PDB file of all heavy atoms in Angstrom:
ATOM      1  N   LEU A 129     110.747  17.723  15.369  1.00 97.00           N
ATOM      2  CA  LEU A 129     109.651  18.423  16.091  1.00 97.00           C
ATOM      3  C   LEU A 129     109.308  17.658  17.374  1.00 97.00           C
ATOM      4  O   LEU A 129     109.077  18.275  18.419  1.00 97.00           O
ATOM      5  CB  LEU A 129     108.430  18.541  15.194  1.00 97.00           C
ATOM      6  CG  LEU A 129     107.262  19.360  15.789  1.00 97.00           C
ATOM      7  CD1 LEU A 129     107.689  20.748  16.180  1.00 97.00           C
ATOM      8  CD2 LEU A 129     106.142  19.429  14.738  1.00 97.00           C
ATOM      9  N   ARG A 130     109.305  16.342  17.303  1.00 97.00           N
ATOM     10  CA  ARG A 130     109.006  15.577  18.503  1.00 97.00           C
ATOM     11  C   ARG A 130     110.080  15.782  19.567  1.00 97.00           C
ATOM     12  O   ARG A 130     109.815  15.948  20.749  1.00 97.00           O
ATOM     13  CB  ARG A 130     108.853  14.084  18.181  1.00 97.00           C
ATOM     14  CG  ARG A 130     108.400  13.261  19.379  1.00 97.00           C
ATOM     15  CD  ARG A 130     108.133  11.813  19.045  1.00 97.00           C
ATOM     16  NE  ARG A 130     109.342  11.041  18.772  1.00 97.00           N
ATOM     17  CZ  ARG A 130     109.387   9.727  18.558  1.00 97.00           C
ATOM     18  NH1 ARG A 130     108.227   9.039  18.543  1.00 97.00           N
ATOM     19  NH2 ARG A 130     110.525   9.099  18.303  1.00 97.00           N
ATOM     20  N   ALA A 131     111.357  15.762  19.112  1.00 97.00           N
ATOM     21  CA  ALA A 131     112.478  16.021  20.052  1.00 97.00           C
ATOM     22  C   ALA A 131     112.339  17.370  20.717  1.00 97.00           C
ATOM     23  O   ALA A 131     112.604  17.518  21.899  1.00 97.00           O
ATOM     24  CB  ALA A 131     113.778  15.937  19.296  1.00 97.00           C
ATOM     25  N   THR A 132     111.904  18.375  19.936  1.00 97.00           N
ATOM     26  CA  THR A 132     111.720  19.732  20.478  1.00 97.00           C
ATOM     27  C   THR A 132     110.692  19.754  21.557  1.00 97.00           C
ATOM     28  O   THR A 132     110.874  20.331  22.614  1.00 97.00           O
ATOM     29  CB  THR A 132     111.326  20.696  19.345  1.00 97.00           C
ATOM     30  OG1 THR A 132     112.322  20.662  18.315  1.00 97.00           O
ATOM     31  CG2 THR A 132     111.186  22.112  19.891  1.00 97.00           C
ATOM     32  N   PHE A 133     109.572  19.050  21.377  1.00 96.00           N
ATOM     33  CA  PHE A 133     108.528  19.033  22.391  1.00 96.00           C
ATOM     34  C   PHE A 133     108.860  18.128  23.573  1.00 96.00           C
ATOM     35  O   PHE A 133     108.442  18.380  24.680  1.00 96.00           O
ATOM     36  CB  PHE A 133     107.178  18.686  21.778  1.00 96.00           C
ATOM     37  CG  PHE A 133     106.460  19.915  21.285  1.00 96.00           C
ATOM     38  CD1 PHE A 133     106.714  20.399  19.991  1.00 96.00           C
ATOM     39  CD2 PHE A 133     105.586  20.626  22.078  1.00 96.00           C
ATOM     40  CE1 PHE A 133     106.078  21.548  19.540  1.00 96.00           C
ATOM     41  CE2 PHE A 133     104.951  21.771  21.632  1.00 96.00           C
ATOM     42  CZ  PHE A 133     105.209  22.248  20.374  1.00 96.00           C
ATOM     43  N   TYR A 134     109.658  17.102  23.323  1.00 95.00           N
ATOM     44  CA  TYR A 134     110.183  16.340  24.443  1.00 95.00           C
ATOM     45  C   TYR A 134     111.063  17.253  25.322  1.00 95.00           C
ATOM     46  O   TYR A 134     110.993  17.234  26.539  1.00 95.00           O
ATOM     47  CB  TYR A 134     111.035  15.172  23.945  1.00 95.00           C
ATOM     48  CG  TYR A 134     110.283  13.952  23.501  1.00 95.00           C
ATOM     49  CD1 TYR A 134     110.813  13.083  22.519  1.00 95.00           C
ATOM     50  CD2 TYR A 134     109.048  13.604  24.072  1.00 95.00           C
ATOM     51  CE1 TYR A 134     110.129  11.933  22.128  1.00 95.00           C
ATOM     52  CE2 TYR A 134     108.341  12.456  23.676  1.00 95.00           C
ATOM     53  CZ  TYR A 134     108.887  11.654  22.706  1.00 95.00           C
ATOM     54  OH  TYR A 134     108.225  10.506  22.318  1.00 95.00           O
ATOM     55  N   LEU A 135     111.874  18.069  24.657  1.00 94.00           N
ATOM     56  CA  LEU A 135     112.753  18.989  25.393  1.00 94.00           C
ATOM     57  C   LEU A 135     111.934  20.020  26.172  1.00 94.00           C
ATOM     58  O   LEU A 135     112.184  20.292  27.353  1.00 94.00           O
ATOM     59  CB  LEU A 135     113.655  19.697  24.382  1.00 94.00           C
ATOM     60  CG  LEU A 135     114.742  20.653  24.886  1.00 94.00           C
ATOM     61  CD1 LEU A 135     115.723  19.904  25.759  1.00 94.00           C
ATOM     62  CD2 LEU A 135     115.464  21.319  23.722  1.00 94.00           C
ATOM     63  N   ILE A 136     110.929  20.569  25.543  1.00 92.00           N
ATOM     64  CA  ILE A 136     110.105  21.604  26.162  1.00 92.00           C
ATOM     65  C   ILE A 136     109.320  21.046  27.336  1.00 92.00           C
ATOM     66  O   ILE A 136     109.091  21.746  28.331  1.00 92.00           O
ATOM     67  CB  ILE A 136     109.142  22.199  25.100  1.00 92.00           C
ATOM     68  CG1 ILE A 136     109.917  23.065  24.120  1.00 92.00           C
ATOM     69  CG2 ILE A 136     108.016  23.015  25.785  1.00 92.00           C
ATOM     70  CD1 ILE A 136     109.070  23.517  22.950  1.00 92.00           C
ATOM     71  N   THR A 137     108.921  19.784  27.268  1.00 91.00           N
ATOM     72  CA  THR A 137     108.115  19.177  28.319  1.00 91.00           C
ATOM     73  C   THR A 137     108.940  18.435  29.372  1.00 91.00           C
ATOM     74  O   THR A 137     108.380  17.786  30.239  1.00 91.00           O
ATOM     75  CB  THR A 137     107.061  18.216  27.737  1.00 91.00           C
ATOM     76  OG1 THR A 137     107.749  17.212  26.915  1.00 91.00           O
ATOM     77  CG2 THR A 137     106.073  18.952  26.854  1.00 91.00           C
ATOM     78  N   GLY A 138     110.249  18.534  29.267  1.00 90.00           N
ATOM     79  CA  GLY A 138     111.126  17.952  30.309  1.00 90.00           C
ATOM     80  C   GLY A 138     111.438  16.495  30.120  1.00 90.00           C
ATOM     81  O   GLY A 138     111.979  15.879  31.040  1.00 90.00           O
ATOM     82  N   ARG A 139     111.106  15.896  28.981  1.00 92.00           N
ATOM     83  CA  ARG A 139     111.423  14.476  28.757  1.00 92.00           C
ATOM     84  C   ARG A 139     112.806  14.434  28.085  1.00 92.00           C
ATOM     85  O   ARG A 139     112.944  14.148  26.878  1.00 92.00           O
ATOM     86  CB  ARG A 139     110.350  13.816  27.909  1.00 92.00           C
ATOM     87  CG  ARG A 139     109.004  13.744  28.602  1.00 92.00           C
ATOM     88  CD  ARG A 139     107.873  13.225  27.720  1.00 92.00           C
ATOM     89  NE  ARG A 139     108.100  11.896  27.151  1.00 92.00           N
ATOM     90  CZ  ARG A 139     107.216  11.222  26.434  1.00 92.00           C
ATOM     91  NH1 ARG A 139     106.025  11.797  26.172  1.00 92.00           N
ATOM     92  NH2 ARG A 139     107.494  10.041  25.972  1.00 92.00           N
ATOM     93  N   PHE A 140     113.819  14.679  28.867  1.00 93.00           N
ATOM     94  CA  PHE A 140     115.156  14.902  28.303  1.00 93.00           C
ATOM     95  C   PHE A 140     115.750  13.631  27.676  1.00 93.00           C
ATOM     96  O   PHE A 140     116.430  13.710  26.643  1.00 93.00           O
ATOM     97  CB  PHE A 140     116.084  15.392  29.396  1.00 93.00           C
ATOM     98  CG  PHE A 140     115.782  16.834  29.816  1.00 93.00           C
ATOM     99  CD1 PHE A 140     116.424  17.392  30.920  1.00 93.00           C
ATOM    100  CD2 PHE A 140     114.878  17.625  29.112  1.00 93.00           C
ATOM    101  CE1 PHE A 140     116.156  18.707  31.287  1.00 93.00           C
ATOM    102  CE2 PHE A 140     114.586  18.900  29.478  1.00 93.00           C
ATOM    103  CZ  PHE A 140     115.240  19.469  30.584  1.00 93.00           C
ATOM    104  N   ALA A 141     115.540  12.484  28.307  1.00 93.00           N
ATOM    105  CA  ALA A 141     116.090  11.248  27.744  1.00 93.00           C
ATOM    106  C   ALA A 141     115.491  10.941  26.382  1.00 93.00           C
ATOM    107  O   ALA A 141     116.235  10.568  25.444  1.00 93.00           O
ATOM    108  CB  ALA A 141     115.831  10.096  28.700  1.00 93.00           C
ATOM    109  N   ASP A 142     114.184  11.126  26.267  1.00 95.00           N
ATOM    110  CA  ASP A 142     113.536  10.939  24.953  1.00 95.00           C
ATOM    111  C   ASP A 142     113.991  11.942  23.911  1.00 95.00           C
ATOM    112  O   ASP A 142     114.196  11.615  22.748  1.00 95.00           O
ATOM    113  CB  ASP A 142     112.012  11.031  25.107  1.00 95.00           C
ATOM    114  CG  ASP A 142     111.413   9.874  25.931  1.00 95.00           C
ATOM    115  OD1 ASP A 142     112.018   8.771  25.893  1.00 95.00           O
ATOM    116  OD2 ASP A 142     110.407  10.104  26.624  1.00 95.00           O
ATOM    117  N   ALA A 143     114.145  13.177  24.364  1.00 96.00           N
ATOM    118  CA  ALA A 143     114.648  14.244  23.483  1.00 96.00           C
ATOM    119  C   ALA A 143     116.050  13.883  22.976  1.00 96.00           C
ATOM    120  O   ALA A 143     116.319  14.019  21.777  1.00 96.00           O
ATOM    121  CB  ALA A 143     114.674  15.591  24.192  1.00 96.00           C
ATOM    122  N   MET A 144     116.898  13.448  23.842  1.00 97.00           N
ATOM    123  CA  MET A 144     118.280  13.117  23.457  1.00 97.00           C
ATOM    124  C   MET A 144     118.301  11.973  22.460  1.00 97.00           C
ATOM    125  O   MET A 144     119.070  12.025  21.496  1.00 97.00           O
ATOM    126  CB  MET A 144     119.086  12.726  24.724  1.00 97.00           C
ATOM    127  CG  MET A 144     120.586  12.478  24.443  1.00 97.00           C
ATOM    128  SD  MET A 144     121.467  13.939  23.896  1.00 97.00           S
ATOM    129  CE  MET A 144     121.740  14.809  25.439  1.00 97.00           C
ATOM    130  N   GLN A 145     117.438  11.007  22.652  1.00 97.00           N
ATOM    131  CA  GLN A 145     117.407   9.864  21.717  1.00 97.00           C
ATOM    132  C   GLN A 145     117.013  10.333  20.309  1.00 97.00           C
ATOM    133  O   GLN A 145     117.662   9.902  19.305  1.00 97.00           O
ATOM    134  CB  GLN A 145     116.415   8.822  22.239  1.00 97.00           C
ATOM    135  CG  GLN A 145     116.385   7.553  21.375  1.00 97.00           C
ATOM    136  CD  GLN A 145     115.479   6.462  22.012  1.00 97.00           C
ATOM    137  OE1 GLN A 145     115.151   6.552  23.154  1.00 97.00           O
ATOM    138  NE2 GLN A 145     115.118   5.492  21.199  1.00 97.00           N
ATOM    139  N   ASP A 146     116.000  11.186  20.190  1.00 97.00           N
ATOM    140  CA  ASP A 146     115.581  11.677  18.895  1.00 97.00           C
ATOM    141  C   ASP A 146     116.628  12.561  18.269  1.00 97.00           C
ATOM    142  O   ASP A 146     116.888  12.487  17.040  1.00 97.00           O
ATOM    143  CB  ASP A 146     114.254  12.432  19.025  1.00 97.00           C
ATOM    144  CG  ASP A 146     113.058  11.502  19.008  1.00 97.00           C
ATOM    145  OD1 ASP A 146     113.239  10.289  18.793  1.00 97.00           O
ATOM    146  OD2 ASP A 146     111.913  12.002  19.201  1.00 97.00           O
ATOM    147  N   LEU A 147     117.225  13.446  19.060  1.00 98.00           N
ATOM    148  CA  LEU A 147     118.234  14.345  18.547  1.00 98.00           C
ATOM    149  C   LEU A 147     119.482  13.578  18.056  1.00 98.00           C
ATOM    150  O   LEU A 147     120.019  13.872  16.984  1.00 98.00           O
ATOM    151  CB  LEU A 147     118.632  15.380  19.610  1.00 98.00           C
ATOM    152  CG  LEU A 147     117.540  16.388  19.997  1.00 98.00           C
ATOM    153  CD1 LEU A 147     117.990  17.180  21.219  1.00 98.00           C
ATOM    154  CD2 LEU A 147     117.202  17.299  18.841  1.00 98.00           C
ATOM    155  N   ASP A 148     119.862  12.574  18.797  1.00 97.00           N
ATOM    156  CA  ASP A 148     120.998  11.747  18.386  1.00 97.00           C
ATOM    157  C   ASP A 148     120.726  11.068  17.047  1.00 97.00           C
ATOM    158  O   ASP A 148     121.639  10.991  16.188  1.00 97.00           O
ATOM    159  CB  ASP A 148     121.275  10.678  19.448  1.00 97.00           C
ATOM    160  CG  ASP A 148     121.991  11.226  20.690  1.00 97.00           C
ATOM    161  OD1 ASP A 148     122.476  12.381  20.634  1.00 97.00           O
ATOM    162  OD2 ASP A 148     122.029  10.498  21.703  1.00 97.00           O
ATOM    163  N   SER A 149     119.492  10.581  16.885  1.00 97.00           N
ATOM    164  CA  SER A 149     119.206   9.866  15.624  1.00 97.00           C
ATOM    165  C   SER A 149     119.287  10.780  14.433  1.00 97.00           C
ATOM    166  O   SER A 149     119.697  10.379  13.316  1.00 97.00           O
ATOM    167  CB  SER A 149     117.789   9.259  15.720  1.00 97.00           C
ATOM    168  OG  SER A 149     116.791  10.231  15.726  1.00 97.00           O
ATOM    169  N   ILE A 150     118.926  12.078  14.591  1.00 97.00           N
ATOM    170  CA  ILE A 150     119.020  13.047  13.510  1.00 97.00           C
ATOM    171  C   ILE A 150     120.478  13.390  13.235  1.00 97.00           C
ATOM    172  O   ILE A 150     120.947  13.386  12.112  1.00 97.00           O
ATOM    173  CB  ILE A 150     118.228  14.300  13.855  1.00 97.00           C
ATOM    174  CG1 ILE A 150     116.740  13.994  13.937  1.00 97.00           C
ATOM    175  CG2 ILE A 150     118.486  15.418  12.844  1.00 97.00           C
ATOM    176  CD1 ILE A 150     115.902  15.100  14.555  1.00 97.00           C
ATOM    177  N   ILE A 151     121.184  13.735  14.287  1.00 97.00           N
ATOM    178  CA  ILE A 151     122.579  14.193  14.185  1.00 97.00           C
ATOM    179  C   ILE A 151     123.476  13.115  13.586  1.00 97.00           C
ATOM    180  O   ILE A 151     124.380  13.409  12.775  1.00 97.00           O
ATOM    181  CB  ILE A 151     123.100  14.649  15.563  1.00 97.00           C
ATOM    182  CG1 ILE A 151     122.352  15.903  16.020  1.00 97.00           C
ATOM    183  CG2 ILE A 151     124.600  14.923  15.550  1.00 97.00           C
ATOM    184  CD1 ILE A 151     122.474  16.220  17.496  1.00 97.00           C
ATOM    185  N   ASN A 152     123.229  11.885  13.941  1.00 96.00           N
ATOM    186  CA  ASN A 152     124.085  10.774  13.491  1.00 96.00           C
ATOM    187  C   ASN A 152     123.783  10.264  12.086  1.00 96.00           C
ATOM    188  O   ASN A 152     124.469   9.443  11.553  1.00 96.00           O
ATOM    189  CB  ASN A 152     124.021   9.582  14.490  1.00 96.00           C
ATOM    190  CG  ASN A 152     124.554   9.976  15.839  1.00 96.00           C
ATOM    191  OD1 ASN A 152     125.406  10.838  15.985  1.00 96.00           O
ATOM    192  ND2 ASN A 152     124.040   9.304  16.866  1.00 96.00           N
ATOM    193  N   ASN A 153     122.720  10.820  11.505  1.00 94.00           N
ATOM    194  CA  ASN A 153     122.335  10.419  10.141  1.00 94.00           C
ATOM    195  C   ASN A 153     122.867  11.455   9.143  1.00 94.00           C
ATOM    196  O   ASN A 153     122.321  12.553   8.985  1.00 94.00           O
ATOM    197  CB  ASN A 153     120.796  10.343  10.024  1.00 94.00           C
ATOM    198  CG  ASN A 153     120.341   9.845   8.679  1.00 94.00           C
ATOM    199  OD1 ASN A 153     121.162   9.644   7.756  1.00 94.00           O
ATOM    200  ND2 ASN A 153     119.029   9.639   8.537  1.00 94.00           N
ATOM    201  N   SER A 154     123.977  11.120   8.488  1.00 92.00           N
ATOM    202  CA  SER A 154     124.646  12.076   7.592  1.00 92.00           C
ATOM    203  C   SER A 154     123.817  12.415   6.378  1.00 92.00           C
ATOM    204  O   SER A 154     124.113  13.409   5.692  1.00 92.00           O
ATOM    205  CB  SER A 154     125.993  11.508   7.150  1.00 92.00           C
ATOM    206  OG  SER A 154     125.827  10.261   6.486  1.00 92.00           O
ATOM    207  N   GLU A 155     122.778  11.624   6.080  1.00 92.00           N
ATOM    208  CA  GLU A 155     121.937  11.886   4.918  1.00 92.00           C
ATOM    209  C   GLU A 155     120.828  12.903   5.188  1.00 92.00           C
ATOM    210  O   GLU A 155     120.162  13.351   4.269  1.00 92.00           O
ATOM    211  CB  GLU A 155     121.325  10.571   4.422  1.00 92.00           C
ATOM    212  CG  GLU A 155     122.350   9.556   3.929  1.00 92.00           C
ATOM    213  CD  GLU A 155     121.707   8.297   3.405  1.00 92.00           C
ATOM    214  OE1 GLU A 155     120.444   8.222   3.427  1.00 92.00           O
ATOM    215  OE2 GLU A 155     122.439   7.369   2.990  1.00 92.00           O
ATOM    216  N   THR A 156     120.688  13.237   6.465  1.00 94.00           N
ATOM    217  CA  THR A 156     119.642  14.215   6.864  1.00 94.00           C
ATOM    218  C   THR A 156     120.066  15.632   6.405  1.00 94.00           C
ATOM    219  O   THR A 156     121.252  15.977   6.438  1.00 94.00           O
ATOM    220  CB  THR A 156     119.442  14.212   8.378  1.00 94.00           C
ATOM    221  OG1 THR A 156     119.058  12.906   8.778  1.00 94.00           O
ATOM    222  CG2 THR A 156     118.354  15.168   8.791  1.00 94.00           C
ATOM    223  N   ASP A 157     119.128  16.437   6.020  1.00 94.00           N
ATOM    224  CA  ASP A 157     119.381  17.787   5.565  1.00 94.00           C
ATOM    225  C   ASP A 157     120.186  18.567   6.607  1.00 94.00           C
ATOM    226  O   ASP A 157     119.929  18.452   7.836  1.00 94.00           O
ATOM    227  CB  ASP A 157     118.037  18.489   5.328  1.00 94.00           C
ATOM    228  CG  ASP A 157     118.216  19.921   4.856  1.00 94.00           C
ATOM    229  OD1 ASP A 157     118.490  20.133   3.660  1.00 94.00           O
ATOM    230  OD2 ASP A 157     118.118  20.819   5.709  1.00 94.00           O
ATOM    231  N   SER A 158     121.149  19.341   6.178  1.00 95.00           N
ATOM    232  CA  SER A 158     122.057  20.054   7.080  1.00 95.00           C
ATOM    233  C   SER A 158     121.328  21.025   7.992  1.00 95.00           C
ATOM    234  O   SER A 158     121.726  21.244   9.142  1.00 95.00           O
ATOM    235  CB  SER A 158     123.118  20.782   6.296  1.00 95.00           C
ATOM    236  OG  SER A 158     122.542  21.778   5.445  1.00 95.00           O
ATOM    237  N   LYS A 159     120.272  21.652   7.515  1.00 96.00           N
ATOM    238  CA  LYS A 159     119.481  22.616   8.322  1.00 96.00           C
ATOM    239  C   LYS A 159     118.816  21.901   9.475  1.00 96.00           C
ATOM    240  O   LYS A 159     118.737  22.429  10.612  1.00 96.00           O
ATOM    241  CB  LYS A 159     118.435  23.323   7.485  1.00 96.00           C
ATOM    242  CG  LYS A 159     118.991  24.302   6.471  1.00 96.00           C
ATOM    243  CD  LYS A 159     119.630  25.487   7.165  1.00 96.00           C
ATOM    244  CE  LYS A 159     120.135  26.500   6.149  1.00 96.00           C
ATOM    245  NZ  LYS A 159     120.822  27.661   6.851  1.00 96.00           N
ATOM    246  N   ILE A 160     118.313  20.680   9.224  1.00 97.00           N
ATOM    247  CA  ILE A 160     117.675  19.890  10.284  1.00 97.00           C
ATOM    248  C   ILE A 160     118.722  19.434  11.288  1.00 97.00           C
ATOM    249  O   ILE A 160     118.507  19.507  12.491  1.00 97.00           O
ATOM    250  CB  ILE A 160     116.896  18.701   9.668  1.00 97.00           C
ATOM    251  CG1 ILE A 160     115.709  19.192   8.862  1.00 97.00           C
ATOM    252  CG2 ILE A 160     116.448  17.728  10.792  1.00 97.00           C
ATOM    253  CD1 ILE A 160     114.954  18.123   8.133  1.00 97.00           C
ATOM    254  N   ARG A 161     119.870  18.981  10.813  1.00 97.00           N
ATOM    255  CA  ARG A 161     120.922  18.538  11.703  1.00 97.00           C
ATOM    256  C   ARG A 161     121.478  19.658  12.569  1.00 97.00           C
ATOM    257  O   ARG A 161     121.741  19.485  13.749  1.00 97.00           O
ATOM    258  CB  ARG A 161     122.050  17.850  10.928  1.00 97.00           C
ATOM    259  CG  ARG A 161     121.642  16.534  10.305  1.00 97.00           C
ATOM    260  CD  ARG A 161     122.777  15.930   9.471  1.00 97.00           C
ATOM    261  NE  ARG A 161     123.882  15.518  10.320  1.00 97.00           N
ATOM    262  CZ  ARG A 161     125.127  15.279   9.836  1.00 97.00           C
ATOM    263  NH1 ARG A 161     125.411  15.491   8.582  1.00 97.00           N
ATOM    264  NH2 ARG A 161     126.037  14.883  10.671  1.00 97.00           N
ATOM    265  N   SER A 162     121.687  20.811  11.966  1.00 98.00           N
ATOM    266  CA  SER A 162     122.235  21.934  12.729  1.00 98.00           C
ATOM    267  C   SER A 162     121.242  22.406  13.806  1.00 98.00           C
ATOM    268  O   SER A 162     121.634  22.740  14.937  1.00 98.00           O
ATOM    269  CB  SER A 162     122.611  23.102  11.806  1.00 98.00           C
ATOM    270  OG  SER A 162     121.485  23.616  11.160  1.00 98.00           O
ATOM    271  N   ASN A 163     119.955  22.391  13.468  1.00 97.00           N
ATOM    272  CA  ASN A 163     118.949  22.750  14.466  1.00 97.00           C
ATOM    273  C   ASN A 163     118.932  21.734  15.636  1.00 97.00           C
ATOM    274  O   ASN A 163     118.822  22.091  16.792  1.00 97.00           O
ATOM    275  CB  ASN A 163     117.573  22.813  13.818  1.00 97.00           C
ATOM    276  CG  ASN A 163     116.498  23.338  14.758  1.00 97.00           C
ATOM    277  OD1 ASN A 163     115.861  22.570  15.473  1.00 97.00           O
ATOM    278  ND2 ASN A 163     116.282  24.665  14.738  1.00 97.00           N
TER     279      ASN A 163
END
């Protein structure tokens, strides 16, 4: 959710950091990773 609002508010570097941390964590729920 924080990554989404970083994205919406134009903080792209911060959004990318949060999104990477989710995507690279294989233990995270698949629905969260796909989003």
Side-chain angles (χ1 to χ4, degrees):
L129 184 56
R130 187 174 72 173
T132 303
F133 272 86
Y134 280 152
L135 185 62
I136 289 171
T137 56
R139 293 173 61 174
F140 289 171
D142 292 330
M144 185 65 79
Q145 185 174 343
D146 276 355
L147 293 171
D148 285 347
S149 70
I150 295 168
I151 293 164
N152 296 333
N153 185 355
S154 58
E155 296 181 1
T156 302
D157 180 81
S158 62
K159 290 292 182 182
I160 293 176
R161 290 178 69 198
S162 63
N163 187 271

